[in-house]
C-alpha cells in the first residue's frame, strides 16, 4: 500500500474528499482508509480536480465514496464517517478481491480478465454470472464476440452445457489455438483447443463445411407455417393450408406430405401455396433425421447453431423450434441446466417498432420464466435500443463494452438498476476489449480488461477456412438460398422511415 493523501473537509459515511499528495491515482482507482470502528474500508475515487488555492499553491483534490468492509464474511457499508484528516492509501489486491467479490476458487468460476488499473485477476462465480440471465452489449467492433469467446472457454472448462445461436459462423474457431503469445502472456493464458467439446450444426452445409447438417421436425402449427412461408398468404390460401394440416393431424409427416395434401384441394389458389411449400422443402432444413434435445444439450459440450447462409425467416424458425423444445424439456427435467446464447439478439426479439420476429414470443417467455428451470439466456447485441425491453430487463448481469449511441445508452440505463451518469461516462470512454461488469456477480460495477483468448477469434478462424471457402464459392453461387433479400431488414428500414416521417409531420403541425 502507498500513501496517497489525507481526508479533507466535511466527511459523510459514504462520501468524502481527499487532498492528494501524489498524482498516481486516477478516477476509478480503489483506495483504502482505516476506520476507527470498522477497520480497513475499501473506497473508490469517482472524480478529481486541480486548482490554485488562495496561498497560490496548486492543489489536487479527489472525491471518493466508501464501498464497504468485511465482517464475518459479509460486505457491509460504513454507517459513520471516517475521522477528518484520516490517511488514505492505495488499496491492496486482497482487500479489493475480498470486497468486490471477484475472488472465487478457480473452480466454478469465469476468469474474465484483469481489473482495470489494478492488474487483479477477475474471477466471477458461474452461477451468479449466468444464473439470472446475462447481456453483452456494445457497439460493433468493441469486443462483444471476443468476450463471448472468453466466456465460452471458461464455461467449457467447467463442463457447463451451452447452445449458441451463431448467425455469422464465428464460433467454430474455438477449435483452433490462439497464436498471439504476447497477449496471452499478459493474462497468464495458455493456448488451447476445444475441438473435442464442440458440435456444430448448420442448415447450409455448403457454406459451412465443418458443420453437420441441422434438421428440424416438419411438424407445424398453422401459425408457424404461415409465418415461415416465403410469401404473404391471403385468407383463401390460409384456409387451404389449414385443411391440409387437418388431414395430416395425428401422424408424422414431411413437407412433401403437406404438398400432396394441398394438391387435393379443388381451388385454383392452391398453386401459390404449393410453390411456397416447395421453396420450404428445397431449403433442406426439414430433410433428414431431426436433431434431438440430447444432441443439443450435453454436459461439457458447446453446440453451435451456425446460421451463416440461412435465410432470416428460417433462422427465426430454427431458433424458435430449438428454444421451444429445450424449454419444454427442461421444465420436466429431461435436460440439465444450460446457457442459451444468442448473437445479434435484436434480430430475434426486436423491440416494438423495430420489426417483428417470429421468435420473440418464446424468448420473452424464457426471459421471464427460464431461470427457475435452469434455462439461462445470454443476449448479445450491438443495438441495445432495438432489443425487446422485456427480455433485456430480465438480464441481471450486464457486460457492457464501448457504447456511444445515445439511444443505446438510454436503453442500457433503463435496463440496469441503479444506473448512474458516472457509469454512462465510463461506458462511452471504454476502449476495445474493456468492459464494465455490472450486476449479480460483482458487489460494485467494475471495469475489466478482458483477457486474451485461448482460442482463435472468429474472424481469424474464418481465415483458416477461406481457401476451402473459395473452392466452394462456385458451387454456392449456383445454389444460393432461395430467399436472397433480407426482407426483415427492409421492413425495419421502412418502419423507421415511416416513423421519422410521422415525427416530421407532427413537428410541423404542433409547432406554435
Ligand atoms: N479483449 C480483447 N483483446 C484483444 N483484442 C480484442 C479484444 N476484444 C476485441 N478485440 C479485437 O477487436 C476486434 C473486434 O472485436 P469483436 O469481438 O469481433 O467485436 P464485436 O463482436 O463487438 O463487433 C477483434 O477482431 C479483435 O481483434
Ligand atoms: Mg461480433
Amino acid at each position: 500500500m502507498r500513501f496517497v493523501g489525507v481526508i479533507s473537509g466535511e466527511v459523510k459515511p459514504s462520501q468524502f474528499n481527499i487532498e492528494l499528495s501524489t498524482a498516481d491515482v486516477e478516477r476509478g482507482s480503489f483506495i483504502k482508509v482505516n476506520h476507527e470502528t470498522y477497520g480497513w474500508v475499501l473506497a473508490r475515487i469517482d472524480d478529481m480536480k486541480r486548482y490554485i488555492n488562495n496561498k497560490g499553491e496548486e492543489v489536487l483534490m479527489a472525491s471518493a465514496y466508501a464501498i464497504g468492509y468485511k465482517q464475518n464474511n459479509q460486505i457491509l457499508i460504513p454507517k459513520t464517517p471516517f475521522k477528518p484528516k484520516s490517511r488514505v492509501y492505495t488499496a491492496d489486491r486482497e482487500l479489493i478481491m475480498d470486497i468486490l467479490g471477484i475472488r472465487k476458487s478457480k473452480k466454478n468460476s469465469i476468469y474474465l480478465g484483469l481489473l482495470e488499473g489494478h492488474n487483479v485477476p477477475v474471477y466471477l462465480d458461474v452461477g451468479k454470472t449466468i444464473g439470472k440471465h446475462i447481456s453483452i452489449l456494445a457497439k460493433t467492433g468493441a469486443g462483444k464476440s471476443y468476450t463471448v469467446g472468453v466466456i465460452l472457454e471458461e464455461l467449457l472448462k467447467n463442463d457447463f452445457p451451452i447452445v449458441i445461436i451463431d448467425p455469422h459462423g464465428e464460433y467454430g474457431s474455438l477449435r483452433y489455438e490462439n497464436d498471439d503469445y504476447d497477449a496471452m502472456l499478459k493474462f497468464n493464458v495458455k493456448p488451447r483447443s476445444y475441438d473435442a467439446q464442440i458440435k456444430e450444426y448448420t442448415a447450409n452445409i455448403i457454406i459451412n463445411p465443418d458443420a453437420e447438417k441441422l434438421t428440424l421436425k416438419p411438424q407445424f402449427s398453422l401459425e408457424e407455417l404461415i409465418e415461415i412461408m416465403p410469401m404473404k398468404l391471403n385468407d383463401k390460401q390460409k384456409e387451404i393450408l389449414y385443411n391440409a394440416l387437418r388431414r395430416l393431424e395425428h401422424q408424422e409427416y414431411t413437407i412433401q406430405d403437406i404438398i400432396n395434401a394441398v394438391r387435393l384441394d379443388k381451388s385454383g389458389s392452391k398453386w401459390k401455396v404449393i410453390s411456397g411449400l416447395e421453396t420450404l422443402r428445397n431449403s433442406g432444413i426439414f430433410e433428414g433425421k431431426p436433431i434431438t434435445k440430447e444432441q443439443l444439450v450435453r454436459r461439457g459440450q458447446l453446440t453451435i447453431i451456425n446460421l451463416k447462409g440461412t435465410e432470416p425467416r428460417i433462422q427465426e424458425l430454427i431458433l424458435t423450434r430449438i428454444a421451444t423444445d429445450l424449454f419444454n424439456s427442461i421444465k420436466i427435467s429431461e435436460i440439465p441446466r444450460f446457457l442459451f446464447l444468442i448473437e445479434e439478439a435484436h434480430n430475434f426479439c426486436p423491440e416494438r417498432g423495430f420489426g417483428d420476429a417470429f421468435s420473440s414470443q418464446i424468448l420473452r417467455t424464457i426471459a421471464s420464466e427460464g431461470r427457475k428451470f435452469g434455462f439461462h439466456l445470454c443476449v448479445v447485441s450491438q443495438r441495445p435500443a432495438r432489443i425487446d425491453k422485456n427480455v433485456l430487463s430480465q438480464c441481471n448481469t450486464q457486460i457492457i463494452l464501448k457504447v456511444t449511441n445515445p439511444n443505446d445508452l438510454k436503453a442500457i440505463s433503463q435496463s440496469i438498476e441503479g444506473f448512474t451518469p458516472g457509469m454512462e461516462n465510463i461506458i462511452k470512454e471504454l476502449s476495445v476489449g474493456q468492459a464494465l461488469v455490472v450486476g449479480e456477480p460483482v458487489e460494485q460495477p467494475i471495469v475489466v480488461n478482458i483477457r486474451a483468448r485461448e482460442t482463435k477469434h472468429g474472424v481469424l478462424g474464418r481465415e483458416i477456412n477461406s481457401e476451402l471457402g473459395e473452392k466452394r464459392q462456385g458451387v454456392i453461387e449456383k445454389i444460393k438460398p432461395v430467399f436472397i433479400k433480407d426482407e426483415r431488414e427492409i421492413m425495419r428500414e421502412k418502419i423507421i422511415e415511416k416513423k421519422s416521417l410521422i415525427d416530421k409531420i407532427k413537428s410541423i403541425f404542433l409547432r406554435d
Side-chain angles (χ1 to χ4, degrees):
M1 65 183 196
R2 283 191 327 275
F3 174 72
V4 293
V6 291
I7 292 185
S8 144
E10 197 184 333
V11 194
K12 291 183 182 167
S14 59
Q15 199 76 41
F16 58 95
N17 294 316
I18 309 160
E19 185 172 341
L20 293 168
S21 51
T22 167
D24 68 353
V25 287
E26 52 187 28
R27 204 173 68 191
S29 292
F30 291 99
I31 48 174
K32 66 175 187 177
V33 189
N34 204 347
H35 190 285
E36 54 194 337
T37 8
Y38 312 123
W40 287 112
V41 175
L42 183 71
R44 192 176 203 178
I45 293 179
D46 64 354
D47 213 353
M48 294 173 79
K49 64 181 173 190
R50 208 168 165 176
Y51 59 91
I52 306 291
N53 68 10
N54 48 20
K55 288 186 213 148
E57 301 154 345
E58 186 175 314
V59 184
L60 181 58
M61 292 290 293
S63 62
Y65 61 97
I67 294 173
Y69 63 95
K70 197 165 182 177
Q71 193 181 64
N72 304 332
N73 269 329
Q74 265 191 309
I75 311 299
L76 303 170
I77 298 167
K79 293 204 181 73
T80 59
F82 296 107
K83 262 191 144 128
K85 292 210 174 294
S86 292
R87 291 166 70 82
V88 180
Y89 301 89
T90 55
D92 41 276
R93 294 164 70 105
E94 290 299 308
L95 187 70
I96 293 175
M97 294 198 279
D98 260 3
I99 305 296
L100 296 181
I102 55 179
R103 182 180 51 180
K104 292 277 172 281
S105 69
K106 293 193 179 174
K107 218 170 164 268
N108 287 327
S109 68
I110 293 170
Y111 169 37
L112 194 64
L114 298 171
L115 188 66
E116 163 64 7
H118 293 267
N119 267 12
V120 173
V122 175
Y123 285 94
L124 305 177
D125 182 79
V126 170
K128 285 187 183 162
T129 306
I130 62 167
K132 296 188 183 170
H133 307 318
I134 168 173
S135 59
I136 300 178
L137 310 169
K139 66 195 276 181
T140 304
K144 291 179 302 295
S145 303
Y146 197 97
T147 307
V148 168
V150 167
I151 292 173
L152 296 179
E153 290 167 1
E154 294 292 319
L155 291 177
L156 282 173
K157 279 195 199 101
N158 284 286
D159 277 340
F160 203 89
I162 312 151
V163 176
I164 174 165
I165 300 295
D166 179 11
H168 303 301
E170 45 185 341
Y171 292 100
S173 71
L174 268 96
R175 295 190 181 95
Y176 311 108
E177 291 182 1
N178 191 357
D179 53 12
D180 186 353
Y181 298 101
D182 289 342
M184 287 186 283
L185 198 64
K186 195 173 141 213
F187 292 92
N188 197 15
V189 162
K190 293 193 187 68
R192 184 167 170 177
S193 155
Y194 286 89
D195 192 26
Q197 288 174 267
I198 294 177
K199 274 282 181 188
E200 184 173 357
Y201 296 94
T202 183
N204 191 332
I205 43 172
I206 290 142
I207 294 191
N208 309 299
D210 287 343
E212 289 175 43
K213 181 162 178 318
L214 176 71
T215 300
L216 298 179
K217 246 187 164 164
Q219 316 284 312
F220 304 98
S221 68
L222 182 66
E223 291 79 23
E224 274 181 317
L225 196 47
I226 291 170
E227 231 10 278
I228 59 165
M229 286 290 273
M231 77 281 276
K232 264 206 132 21
L233 299 185
N234 62 29
D235 286 347
K236 180 68 202 160
Q237 291 158 343
K238 285 180 191 169
E239 189 191 323
I240 294 171
L241 257 190
Y242 175 74
N243 290 334
L245 285 183
R246 277 287 298 278
R247 259 182 228 129
L248 296 168
E249 242 171 10
H250 312 302
Q251 70 184 70
E252 298 257 312
Y253 52 83
T254 64
I255 298 276
Q256 189 56 50
D257 293 331
I258 308 177
I259 294 174
N260 295 344
V262 171
R263 276 187 203 284
L264 297 177
D265 203 283
K266 299 263 178 332
S267 151
S269 308
K270 70 180 173 186
W271 300 113
K272 200 167 167 202
V273 180
I274 290 172
S275 122
L277 286 167
E278 280 170 351
T279 310
L280 279 185
R281 181 194 60 196
N282 296 345
S283 77
I285 185 73
F286 304 105
E287 237 164 61
K289 208 166 171 288
I291 193 160
T292 63
K293 52 186 183 294
E294 292 83 8
Q295 283 174 304
L296 286 165
V297 178
R298 189 173 286 176
R299 267 197 81 72
Q301 179 175 303
L302 166 66
T303 308
I304 301 171
I305 306 298
N306 181 345
L307 299 178
K308 195 175 163 201
T310 302
E311 188 270 330
R313 250 186 299 193
I314 299 290
Q315 291 194 10
E316 286 168 27
L317 173 76
I318 292 172
L319 187 148
T320 308
R321 261 306 156 84
I322 290 178
T324 309
D325 286 354
L326 294 180
F327 187 51
N328 290 335
S329 298
I330 209 164
K331 279 202 278 196
I332 50 173
S333 310
E334 285 183 336
I335 48 170
R337 58 176 49 231
F338 72 105
L339 182 70
F340 191 74
L341 193 147
I342 308 168
E343 266 271 5
E344 310 282 355
H346 53 279
N347 285 336
F348 297 103
C349 47
E351 173 67 350
R352 219 175 301 148
F354 291 107
D356 205 13
F358 178 42
S359 38
S360 282
Q361 185 65 41
I362 182 68
L363 290 179
R364 255 183 247 139
T365 307
I366 291 167
S368 63
E369 295 171 27
R371 71 178 62 145
K372 60 176 180 271
F373 302 109
F375 194 128
H376 308 295
L377 269 186
C378 176
V379 299
V380 183
S381 172
Q382 69 267 26
R383 294 315 311 269
R386 295 191 182 181
I387 306 182
D388 189 328
K389 298 278 171 299
N390 297 302
V391 174
L392 201 56
S393 63
Q394 292 291 335
C395 298
N396 285 297
T397 299
Q398 289 94 5
I399 297 186
I400 300 158
L401 298 100
K402 190 183 182 80
V403 176
T404 46
N405 179 298
N407 291 330
D408 291 328
L409 282 164
K410 194 166 154 224
I412 290 171
S413 73
Q414 286 167 348
S415 72
I416 298 180
E417 241 180 70
F419 191 87
T420 63
M423 282 158 75
E424 178 165 331
N425 287 331
I426 292 172
I427 293 169
K428 285 196 272 196
E429 289 165 15
L430 291 169
S431 32
V432 171
Q434 281 190 327
L436 180 72
V437 180
V438 189
E440 291 288 311
V442 287
E443 289 288 328
Q444 271 281 311
I446 53 172
V447 175
V448 177
N449 290 304
I450 303 293
R451 74 159 169 81
R453 291 267 298 263
E454 298 167 336
T455 57
K456 276 201 192 289
H457 181 47
V459 184
L460 295 166
R462 231 181 283 148
E463 274 164 18
I464 299 169
N465 286 330
S466 69
E467 217 174 289
L468 232 184
E470 264 163 40
K471 275 192 207 140
R472 299 192 184 234
Q473 195 58 39
V475 189
I476 295 162
E477 287 301 324
K478 276 186 212 134
I479 57 153
K480 247 192 189 144
V482 202
F483 317 84
I484 297 170
K485 276 241 155 59
D486 185 339
E487 289 174 38
R488 192 172 48 199
E489 207 44 55
I490 296 170
M491 275 297 286
R492 206 164 285 149
E493 274 161 20
K494 273 193 190 148
I495 292 169
I496 295 166
E497 253 170 43
K498 244 189 213 161
K499 264 179 102 180
S500 69
L501 193 66
I502 293 170
D503 285 346
K504 232 182 241 166
I505 295 169
K506 265 191 194 160
S507 76
I508 293 168
F509 283 104
L510 298 180
R511 216 181 282 159
D512 45 23

